Amino acid sequence: MTYVVTEDCIKCKHQDCVSVCPVDCFYEGENFLVIDPVECIDCAVCVAECPVDAIVPDDAATQFWIDLNAELAIKWQDNNITEIGDIPADAAEWAGVPNKLDLLIR
Ligand code: SF4
Ligand code: F3S
């Protein structure tokens, strides 16, 4: 099992999740983060930190989001993130907005 970042993170990217991860397994894109499923130890600490509930266990995620986290964790391997950086100025406006996948910058 692993934990998975899902669509609600896109363009919200609050980053509260990254500082609590004991194994530093978050990787950063321009407007989304992913969890490396190989490194995640399934502690679930990050879940409650996300203001938009974007992080779920893999048994509550679709295979698409499981695969996307794995794929982008490799693609973004040089962009490990462990501390909160700049939060998008319009993050609150994107909270809960559906169908954001087309806006994901890979
Ligand atoms: Fe890190 Fe734990 Fe969240 Fe996995 S479940 S990403 S180990 S905080
Ligand atoms: Fe994204 Fe939530 Fe973390 S919005 S960056 S998963 S705190």
Side-chain angles (χ1 to χ4, degrees):
M1 186 164 135
T2 181
Y3 281 75
V4 179
V5 185
T6 61
E7 185 164 12
D8 284 316
C9 180
I10 297 172
K11 291 184 74 72
C12 288
K13 201 185 171 187
H14 287 283
Q15 302 159 68
D16 302 74
C17 53
V18 304
S19 59
V20 299
C21 179
V23 294
D24 296 341
C25 65
F26 282 90
Y27 292 83
E28 179 181 25
E30 203 166 313
N31 62 5
F32 185 56
L33 296 189
V34 293
I35 292 169
D36 183 338
V38 177
E39 297 177 317
C40 176
I41 59 170
D42 313 332
C43 72
V45 170
C46 57
V47 173
E49 297 297 318
C50 179
V52 294
D53 299 327
I55 304 174
V56 299
D58 61 2
D59 59 6
T62 62
Q63 192 62 46
F64 174 84
W65 291 100
I66 295 170
D67 291 346
L68 187 65
N69 275 243
E71 174 193 332
L72 294 180
I74 293 170
K75 184 173 183 182
W76 296 342
Q77 61 183 321
D78 293 335
N79 297 329
N80 183 235
I81 175 170
T82 60
E83 294 180 0
I84 298 177
D86 293 335
I87 299 165
D90 58 353
E93 295 168 32
W94 288 99
V97 174
N99 305 317
K100 295 192 284 186
L101 182 57
D102 289 346
L103 303 172
L104 170 62
I105 301 169
R106 301 187 182 212

